[in-house]
Amino acid sequence: MRERDLGAPVELSDVVDSRSAPPELRRLLDDPPLTGKPFRVLSFLAEHFGESVTVDEIVFEGLGEHYVGDAQYMKTKVSRVRAALPLEFSVYLFRNYGRYMLSHRLEDGGSIFPDFLREGIAFASEDVLPLLTHYNVAEPKDPNLLVTRLPPKKITLLNALGVEYPSAVANNALVASLWGDHVYPRSYLPNLRNHIYGLGKRMDDDFGGEYQIEHIDGIGYKLELANETTAWTGWERAI
């Protein structure tokens, strides 16, 4: 039976040092309302309190490597964890990225800048940092759900262009960031162009043309500021 050990006691020292969890959670970990695999998931999330972790990390560390790929099974354990948490805590899902995070419950109107995105754009130019920050802020729409202001592929595309500013990013690299490096890049160029168009339109609506996307013939695309001298004037002509 797959969950035959759910009722078996698990020693805290086997999973996580309770001192790594916030003081408010130590009592919950030392006298847990959960046992077995849900407790292991809770302990792993507590060890990374305030940090986002991937589904595979939760599964591998909390459930065991033979459960990797069984996301639905993991979701049932996260639901058990949510139900057992005190009201001041919650487990959030970054829907666009398949990551979870245990943290204090957000107040209405609160927001989170995901740690994994902060690290990814840490070296981005100050010129484009306001643009990246604006779209990467995760907002609570659902009590347990966090989403960015752009759909997954467009936010991936924006970040790929943003971290390389002011350099251009090759078409092949952009295609790989969106669909993986196993695809044939040339067959995806029309799709890439559509995403570039949609992203440029959204940037234009939100920032009044302050940021643009230029097409570099034979190479790819690049982000630029509206006051830069380029061969193009405006994002629509750029693509």
Side-chain angles (χ1 to χ4, degrees), residues 157-231:
L157 180 58
L158 173 66
N159 290 336
L161 292 169
V163 297
E164 295 299 331
Y165 172 86
S167 301
V169 184
N171 289 323
N172 289 3
L174 293 174
V175 169
S177 70
L178 296 177
W179 294 284
D181 55 11
H182 60 284
V183 303
Y184 184 58
R186 287 187 63 85
S187 65
Y188 280 79
L189 289 182
N191 290 338
L192 173 62
R193 188 169 185 266
N194 288 338
H195 282 293
I196 290 285
Y197 180 89
L199 175 59
K201 179 66 167 62
R202 180 65 182 273
M203 289 163 47
D204 196 47
D205 291 342
D206 292 346
F207 285 89
E210 181 179 354
Y211 299 96
Q212 302 169 0
I213 301 176
E214 181 183 2
H215 176 224
I216 310 298
D217 190 36
I219 298 178
Y221 296 88
K222 61 172 290 190
L223 271 181
E224 60 186 27
L225 304 183
N227 58 3
E228 291 179 336
T229 301
T230 71

Side-chain angles (χ1 to χ4, degrees), residues 27 32 45 56 62 73 78 90 96 101 109 114 122 125 128 135 150 152 160 171 176-177 182 190 204 215 228:
R27 194 163 43 240
L45 290 171
D56 284 346
Y73 182 70
V78 171
S90 184
N96 302 65
M101 181 181 69
S125 166
V128 296
Y135 287 119
L150 287 175
N171 289 323
S177 70
H182 60 284
D204 196 47
H215 176 224
E228 291 179 336

Side-chain angles (χ1 to χ4, degrees), residues 1-230:
M1 184 176 176
R2 200 174 199 184
E3 293 195 60
R4 62 184 180 275
D5 61 340
L6 272 182
V10 179
E11 293 296 329
L12 182 65
S13 59
D14 293 338
V15 185
V16 59
D17 184 347
S18 64
R19 290 172 298 178
S20 65
E24 306 95 315
L25 275 178
R26 290 179 189 169
R27 194 163 43 240
L28 185 66
L29 290 170
D30 289 330
D31 186 19
L34 299 168
T35 58
K37 290 183 173 62
F39 174 67
R40 289 181 179 273
V41 170
L42 169 62
S43 300
F44 179 73
L45 290 171
E47 183 179 12
H48 298 276
F49 186 84
E51 303 173 11
S52 65
V53 290
T54 66
V55 170
D56 284 346
E57 287 171 339
I58 298 174
V59 172
F60 188 85
E61 298 292 338
L63 303 178
E65 59 182 315
H66 52 289
Y67 288 98
V68 171
D70 195 346
Q72 186 58 43
Y73 182 70
M74 186 275 299
K75 288 179 182 178
T76 64
K77 303 299 167 263
V78 171
S79 296
R80 293 276 301 276
V81 170
R82 282 198 183 110
L85 286 172
L87 291 177
E88 61 265 34
F89 299 104
S90 184
V91 179
Y92 292 103
L93 166 64
F94 291 91
R95 186 179 65 188
N96 302 65
Y97 305 97
R99 288 171 173 259
Y100 286 85
M101 181 181 69
L102 172 62
S103 74
H104 292 285
R105 186 177 295 277
L106 293 177
E107 299 294 335
D108 291 341
S111 64
I112 291 178
F113 192 83
D115 57 294
F116 58 98
L117 287 175
R118 181 183 294 109
E119 294 167 2
I121 67 174
F123 301 104
S125 166
E126 291 184 2
D127 290 335
V128 296
L129 199 55
L131 174 72
L132 301 181
T133 302
H134 174 79
Y135 287 119
N136 279 300
V137 169
E139 298 180 320
K141 308 289 185 181
D142 176 281
N144 297 309
L145 185 67
L146 293 166
V147 295
T148 58
R149 292 189 172 107
L150 287 175
K153 279 190 168 51
K154 285 185 174 56
I155 193 69
T156 299
L157 180 58
L158 173 66
N159 290 336
L161 292 169
V163 297
E164 295 299 331
Y165 172 86
S167 301
V169 184
N171 289 323
N172 289 3
L174 293 174
V175 169
S177 70
L178 296 177
W179 294 284
D181 55 11
H182 60 284
V183 303
Y184 184 58
R186 287 187 63 85
S187 65
Y188 280 79
L189 289 182
N191 290 338
L192 173 62
R193 188 169 185 266
N194 288 338
H195 282 293
I196 290 285
Y197 180 89
L199 175 59
K201 179 66 167 62
R202 180 65 182 273
M203 289 163 47
D204 196 47
D205 291 342
D206 292 346
F207 285 89
E210 181 179 354
Y211 299 96
Q212 302 169 0
I213 301 176
E214 181 183 2
H215 176 224
I216 310 298
D217 190 36
I219 298 178
Y221 296 88
K222 61 172 290 190
L223 271 181
E224 60 186 27
L225 304 183
N227 58 3
E228 291 179 336
T229 301
T230 71

